[in-house]
């Protein structure tokens, strides 16, 4: 495809779009910068305040000092990892069923998956709590996991199914023609090809789970997760360690991104794979907007 | 379909596989996944409806009495204006969606068309980067930045742009702003995906046929990106209408939303049936709106969206 | 279509089956009168105490609490202190299902504010009656303010951890005239900068006091009448806040607000000395955060030990010096002044209120039953939401 960008630049040098883009980006980063800055604030009480008292790394050195914060963070990590793994394990077969077969329940299940993503968190949370109360299941870690896996399955299905629909099924047919049974076909042909999508789906499920506040607030019982802790503490006065945790998470994310970028450059250099840049990953597997898959379907129904 | 034919062709020597064996794989595959969603997503939704029809109190317990009157009680006769909250939430949803499109579209357009290939990933990534931090922390930071003592208002005061009484926090605008901020990525990404799919040669052709930049945009790009906007609208509208967090952290009097009402009646007031009724009503209202929206903007089947 | 209908009917039927039993109430299934004497007689000492409390509510220096350390050294009991309570309502919602199922909450001491949730805990038989024979220090040192409260006659189930006052706080840099009355909360000069609490017991009680009625003895008609002032005042209010009201006051979004005494004290110490707490001339509200022993607690004897240990001038003094709410042991005052050498706290009327202030403090209304509670909610929630 001809390099359109160059052509545009030759025709019209309009800086406004770029300015607009960068302006918005800066605005999105303002609270992050404030967070990082004030995690170093030397406040006299253990509550954040926005008068500047001088620079200190005290809060970083005493990260675990706040009652319940570290525990909440660990709980969030556990829930996120478990729900991501389980939802990928459960969601992948479901995606294959939806993506490769035609059966009468397909429409209903697809609608259910769509509803799961589209339903507002407050409704899902309230409904889940009603359900657990009715069946007398005590709210706690188990109910959090159940609810998280329930919504993560939908995200996994969308991501994996989008990838499947982009994958040519003739490779699998060829494998079958060569005598492979379905199981072998799956493990030696489909799965390796699907692997990037599974990873992307797992990461998405992880991200959705670790940041979930609304649904968790209904079904958590006495268990405290990191977003729940932060929301509750924001009412009493955030301890500075929360800002430290936020900064650390942010830096980890940044690091992962650079690592991904570095790996991509290596791949490009060795030409091992063509699907590596974020934008291609986004368009092929729709890493962070599951419903973006609908773009294909609505723009080109034959892809559905 | 090829699968079935191949298998029967290769096993022509053997007995034909039974109908069950031929048609059962998708059912086995979807058993656990579909079952989980059925048990823990669909049934709870119905359970929510059932609980809304119960009467009682937290001490004595609730019993199913099929009291549909609760809906009338809440939305017609109530002292607490739940209908206002619902309408207000829908308004916030609509305003946020429109504003999001206005902000997100240029950004997506910029990345899709105005930058070289190697910059697309980093720029896209920058949009997503701030979302790594928990949205509760980010929204709370905004409540400090936008406070009367914060940099925004102090700056506006110094520049004499606003009166002494001006404040941002506690207004509907603050809530809408917060919602737009939190949903930016959900709108940028689908639009970007749609724009990226547009074959550049179509744009070239349009230009070769003497259309101006504006015409190219309005008559070629915009319609082709409709699907992306559609996806973004769905996500942003639904998330915003139900959200209780932004209105709680950035709002004040006159910004109470239906999401907050549901959360408060469950967790603070322990009125399980009221909370369930509000939640079911919200779901139904959203469902109707989305259905109408989908029909009007022309998707054949909701199920094809997945 | 038919398929969808069939499935819908199936789902409805299934859910109806599941939900037909409704939701269990929290009223105790065990209605027998419990023989507390033999209950306590059977208890054995263990080595651990699980203490759930609110955040920032015990003395804390670099993550260590001196009062807890002193207790552990004196008794050999290991204390698991968890500051997990962020609200009465959410915490109640988490322990209620466990208590209703007669399971252990995992805690031996919980701290709940006087109010509906405490009343529910008592009425539902979810609390262990205290053995006052082992609480000699309480009898000896506790201030009259915390003895025999209207929500727990005879301190059958609770002893106070800290007491607080709800009055008015304002920013003296912005408001130059003295603030003296609830009427000031509805002064049109402060339009758009008035803060109120979103706890409807606080809002309602303030309105009742404004009317000249003592909330503890108020009637339903008086509740209704008091909403007139609140409805007019609503136009001046910036927001009805939970504990974050203090942030809005500090950040100058609100200039005058309902406030808790301890929050203002701490704000004064953390860079906002210009914020002032006043007792309105109509009176202020007094509330108590109380230590309770939930049923099925594993170590109730240790809980009593801690309660007894706390009610001494030394320990209560150490805690009050840090928490800055009203100390339930008046004799801690000389301890703080002389031994801890902290005259700011010792001489503060917000920590050791003189009789004149105590005289103007009113108790909250105690609900008789759920309908009573609902009536209060229905009266005041429309104002807040």
């Amino acid at each position: 495809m001809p390099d359109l960008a160059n052509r545009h630049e030759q025709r019209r040098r309009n800086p406004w779009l770029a300015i607009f883009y960068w302006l918005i980006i800066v605005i999105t980063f303002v609270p992050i910068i404030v967070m990082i800055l004030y995690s170093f604030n030397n406040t006299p009480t253990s509550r954040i305040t926005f008068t500047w008292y001088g620079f200190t790394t005290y809060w970083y050195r005493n990260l675990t000092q706040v009652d319940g914060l570290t525990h909440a963070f660990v709980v969030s990590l556990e829930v996120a990892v478990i729900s991501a793994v389980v939802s990928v394990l459960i969601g992948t077969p479901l995606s294959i069923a939806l993506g490769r077969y035609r059966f009468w329940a397909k429409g209903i299940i697809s609608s259910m998956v769509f509803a799961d993503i589209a339903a507002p968190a407050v409704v899902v949370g309230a409904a889940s709590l009603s359900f657990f109360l009715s069946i007398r299941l005590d709210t706690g870690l188990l109910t959090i996991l159940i609810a998280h896996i329930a919504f993560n399955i939908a995200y996994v299905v969308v991501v994996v199914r989008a990838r499947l629909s982009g994958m040519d099924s003739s490779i699998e047919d060829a494998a079958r023609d060569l005598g492979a049974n379905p199981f072998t076909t799956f493990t030696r042909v489909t799965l390796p090809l699907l692997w990037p999508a599974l990873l992307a789906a797992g990461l998405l499920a992880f991200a959705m789970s670790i940041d979930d506040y609304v649904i968790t607030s209904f079904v958590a019982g006495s268990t405290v997760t990191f977003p729940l802790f932060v929301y509750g503490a924001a009412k009493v006065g955030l301890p500075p360690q929360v800002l430290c945790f936020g900064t650390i998470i942010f830096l980890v994310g940044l690091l992962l991104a650079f690592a991904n970028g570095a790996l991509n450059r290596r791949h490009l250099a060795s030409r091992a794979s063509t699907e590596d840049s974020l934008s291609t990953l986004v368009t092929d597997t729709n890493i962070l907007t599951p419903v973006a898959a609908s773009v294909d379907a609505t723009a080109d129904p034959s892809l559905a | 379909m090829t699968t079935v034919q191949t298998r029967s062709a290769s096993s022509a020597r053997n007995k034909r596989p039974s109908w069950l064996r031929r048609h059962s794989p998708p059912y086995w595959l979807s058993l656990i996944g579909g079952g989980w969603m059925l048990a823990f997503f669909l049934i709870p939704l119905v359970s929510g409806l059932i609980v809304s029809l119960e009467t009682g109190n937290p001490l004595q317990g609730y019993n199913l009495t099929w009291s549909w009157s609760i809906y009338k009680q809440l939305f017609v006769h109530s002292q607490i204006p739940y209908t206002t909250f619902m309408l207000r939430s829908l308004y916030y949803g609509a305003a946020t969606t429109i504003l999001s499109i206005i902000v997100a579209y240029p950004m997506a357009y910029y990345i899709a068309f105005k930058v070289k290939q190697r910059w697309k990933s980093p720029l896209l990534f920058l949009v997503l980067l701030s979302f790594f931090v928990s949205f509760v922390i980010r929204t709370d930071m905004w409540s400090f930045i936008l406070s009367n003592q914060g940099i925004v208002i102090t700056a506006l005061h110094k520049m004499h742009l606003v009166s002494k009484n001006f404040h941002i926090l506690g207004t509907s605008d603050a809530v809408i702003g917060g919602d737009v901020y939190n949903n930016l990525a959900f709108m940028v990404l689908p639009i970007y995906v749609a724009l990226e799919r547009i074959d550049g040669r179509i744009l070239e052709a349009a230009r070769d046929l003497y259309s101006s930049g504006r015409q190219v945009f309005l008559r070629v790009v915009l319609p082709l990106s409709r699907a992306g906007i559609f996806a973004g609208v769905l996500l942003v509208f639904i998330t915003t209408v139900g959200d209780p967090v932004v209105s709680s952290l950035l709002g004040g009097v006159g910004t109470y939303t239906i999401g907050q009402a549901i959360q408060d009646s469950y967790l603070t007031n322990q009125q399980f049936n009221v909370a369930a009724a509000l939640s079911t009503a919200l779901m139904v209202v959203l469902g109707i709106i989305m259905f109408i929206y989908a029909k009007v903007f022309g998707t054949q089947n909701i199920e094809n969206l997945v | 279509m038919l398929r969808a209908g069939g499935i819908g009917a199936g789902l409805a039927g299934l859910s109806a089956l599941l939900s037909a039993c409704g939701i269990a109430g929290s009223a105790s299934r065990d209605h027998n009168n419990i023989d507390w004497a033999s209950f306590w007689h059977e208890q054995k000492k263990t080595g651990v105490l699980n203490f759930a409390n609110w955040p920032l509510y015990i003395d804390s220096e670099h993550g260590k609490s001196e009062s807890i350390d002193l207790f552990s050294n004196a008794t050999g009991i290991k204390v698991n202190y968890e500051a997990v309570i962020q609200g009465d309502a959410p915490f109640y919602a988490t322990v209620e299902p466990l208590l209703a199922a007669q399971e252990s909450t995992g805690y031996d001491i919980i701290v709940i504010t006087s109010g509906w949730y405490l009343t529910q805990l008592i009425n539902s038989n979810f609390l262990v009656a205290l053995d006052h024979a082992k609480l000699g220090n309480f009898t000896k040192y506790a201030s009259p303010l915390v003895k025999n409260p209207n929500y727990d006659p005879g301190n059958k189930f609770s002893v106070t951890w800290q007491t607080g006052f709800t009055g008015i706080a304002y920013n003296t840099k912005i408001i130059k005239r003295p603030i003296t009355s609830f009427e000031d909360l509805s002064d049109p000069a402060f339009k758009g900068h008035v803060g109120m609490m979103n706890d409807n017991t606080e809002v309602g009680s303030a309105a009742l006091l404004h009317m000249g009625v003592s909330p503890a003895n108020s009637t339903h008609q008086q509740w209704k009448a008091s909403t007139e002032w609140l409805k007019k005042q609503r136009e001046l209010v910036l927001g009805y806040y939970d504990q974050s009201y203090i942030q809005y006051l500090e950040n100058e979004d609100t200039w005058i607000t309902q406030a808790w005494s301890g929050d203002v004290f701490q704000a004064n110490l953390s860079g906002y000395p210009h914020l002032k707490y006043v007792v309105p001339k109509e009176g202020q509200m007094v509330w108590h955060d109380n230590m309770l022993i939930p049923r099925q607690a594993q170590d109730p004897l240790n809980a009593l030990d801690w309660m007894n240990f706390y009610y001494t001038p030394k320990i209560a003094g150490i805690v009050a010096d840090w928490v800055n709410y009203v100390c339930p042991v008046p004799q801690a005052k000389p301890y703080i002044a002389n031994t801890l050498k902290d005259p700011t706290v010792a001489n503060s009327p917000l920590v050791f209120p003189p009789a004149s202030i105590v005289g103007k403090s009113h108790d909250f209304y105690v609900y008789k039953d759920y309908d009573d509670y609902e009536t209060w909610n229905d009266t005041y929630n429309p104002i807040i939401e």
Side-chain angles (χ1 to χ4, degrees), chain C residues 319-332:
Chain C
V319 175
D321 193 40
W322 204 92
V323 173
N324 307 142
Y325 269 93
V326 179
C327 182
V329 175
Q331 277 154 309

Side-chain angles (χ1 to χ4, degrees), chain C residues 232-286:
Chain C
K232 279 195 307 181
Q233 189 227 18
R234 195 163 192 259
E235 292 155 38
L236 307 170
V237 175
L238 180 65
Y240 293 88
Y241 304 114
D242 47 30
Q243 196 161 359
S244 57
Y245 75 86
I246 191 73
Q247 264 174 242
Y248 290 91
L249 186 67
E250 288 169 357
N251 290 337
E252 294 175 14
D253 286 299
T254 54
W255 300 341
I256 181 173
T257 177
Q258 273 189 300
W260 289 327
S261 51
D263 287 346
V264 182
F265 193 100
Q266 294 215 330
N268 289 146
L269 291 179
S270 52
Y272 301 95
H274 52 275
L275 301 178
K276 187 162 175 214
Y277 176 87
V278 291
V279 180
K281 66 174 195 277
E282 299 94 342
Q284 64 180 359
M285 297 308 295
V286 60

Side-chain angles (χ1 to χ4, degrees), chain C residues 14 94 142 175 206 309 318-319 330 364:
Chain C
L14 190 60
T94 66
I175 299 182
F309 188 76
I318 293 176
V319 175
F364 283 90

Side-chain angles (χ1 to χ4, degrees), chain B residues 278-296:
Chain B
L278 292 173
S279 163
T280 309
L282 176 63
M283 185 175 65
V284 169
V285 168
L286 278 178
I288 295 176
I289 294 181
M290 288 292 103
F291 188 73
I292 297 176
Y293 179 73
K295 278 277 185 263
V296 167

Side-chain angles (χ1 to χ4, degrees), chain A residues 177 179, chain B residues 5-17:
Chain A
D177 285 340
Chain B
Q5 287 163 8
T6 318
R7 221 193 289 157
S8 16
S10 64
S11 55
R13 269 175 288 139
N14 308 332
K15 203 172 67 182
R16 211 153 231 232

Side-chain angles (χ1 to χ4, degrees), chain B:
Chain B
M1 277 292 107
T2 358
T3 320
V4 176
Q5 287 163 8
T6 318
R7 221 193 289 157
S8 16
S10 64
S11 55
R13 269 175 288 139
N14 308 332
K15 203 172 67 182
R16 211 153 231 232
S18 67
W19 181 93
L20 203 63
R21 211 164 133 230
R22 248 187 302 144
H23 287 268
S24 66
Y27 295 101
W28 287 117
L29 287 174
S30 26
L31 185 67
I32 306 182
W36 192 287
M37 292 186 63
L38 185 77
F40 298 118
F41 170 66
L42 265 192
I43 293 190
L45 285 180
V46 183
S47 178
L49 173 64
I50 305 273
V51 170
S52 72
L53 302 175
E54 295 177 3
T55 46
N57 66 57
L59 278 175
Q60 264 80 47
Y62 288 85
N63 291 304
L64 185 58
T65 55
W66 299 100
S67 53
W68 294 93
S69 61
I70 187 155
Y71 289 97
K72 187 148 150 237
Q73 219 184 318
L74 288 178
F75 291 105
V76 180
H77 294 314
S78 173
Q79 285 270 35
I80 304 179
Y82 290 115
T83 325
T84 315
F85 301 153
M86 180 77 82
L87 292 172
R88 179 183 293 148
S89 303
L90 291 173
Y91 163 67
Y92 286 164
T96 305
T97 309
I98 295 175
L99 275 176
S100 300
I101 297 179
I102 295 177
V103 173
Y105 203 102
M107 293 180 76
Y109 189 89
Y110 174 68
I111 304 179
F113 292 124
K114 296 287 191 182
V115 294
K116 296 208 188 59
Q117 182 65 32
R118 56 174 286 214
W119 289 115
K120 292 196 188 189
S121 297
L123 287 185
L124 209 54
F125 180 70
L126 270 181
V127 174
L128 302 174
L129 184 56
S130 58
F131 288 82
F132 275 37
V133 179
S134 166
F135 86 100
V136 181
I137 297 183
R138 277 181 295 136
T139 317
D140 200 46
M141 292 294 109
W142 274 118
S143 77
F144 277 99
I145 300 169
L146 295 176
S147 71
N148 267 18
Q149 237 192 6
I151 34 176
V152 174
I153 299 205
T154 332
L156 288 173
H157 272 154
K158 285 225 168 69
M159 296 197 282
H160 297 292
L161 283 174
V162 295
S163 71
K164 187 163 162 283
N165 260 343
F166 180 74
H167 63 262
I168 300 182
L169 281 186
T171 60
S172 282
D173 299 329
V175 177
I176 295 176
D179 281 322
V180 171
Y181 175 80
N182 276 323
N183 284 305
L184 194 62
F186 286 140
M187 190 60 92
V188 171
L189 285 180
I191 298 182
Y192 169 77
V193 168
L195 290 176
E196 187 67 8
R197 299 256 161 193
I198 297 179
D199 193 337
R201 291 170 288 183
I202 298 182
L203 297 181
E204 261 191 71
R207 238 164 280 197
D208 288 343
L209 292 170
Y210 302 110
S211 33
S212 70
R214 247 186 60 191
Q215 279 178 315
V216 169
F217 177 73
L218 284 175
R219 293 175 133 237
V220 181
V221 177
L222 197 55
L224 283 177
S225 62
R226 234 179 48 185
I229 301 181
F230 177 80
V233 164
L234 259 178
L235 274 176
V236 173
F237 184 76
I238 294 179
T239 317
T240 308
V241 173
D243 176 66
V245 178
V246 177
S247 47
S248 147
L249 288 175
L250 298 179
V253 176
T255 62
Y256 200 76
T257 58
I258 194 80
Q260 281 178 283
I262 297 175
Q263 216 181 27
D264 283 342
S265 42
Y266 238 127
L267 300 175
T268 310
N269 296 333
Q270 296 181 295
Q271 298 165 298
F272 299 147
N273 53 343
V274 170
L278 292 173
S279 163
T280 309
L282 176 63
M283 185 175 65
V284 169
V285 168
L286 278 178
I288 295 176
I289 294 181
M290 288 292 103
F291 188 73
I292 297 176
Y293 179 73
K295 278 277 185 263
V296 167
F297 284 85
T299 50
Q300 278 85 345
N301 274 318
I302 301 281
E303 70 192 50
N304 283 335
L305 289 173
V306 177

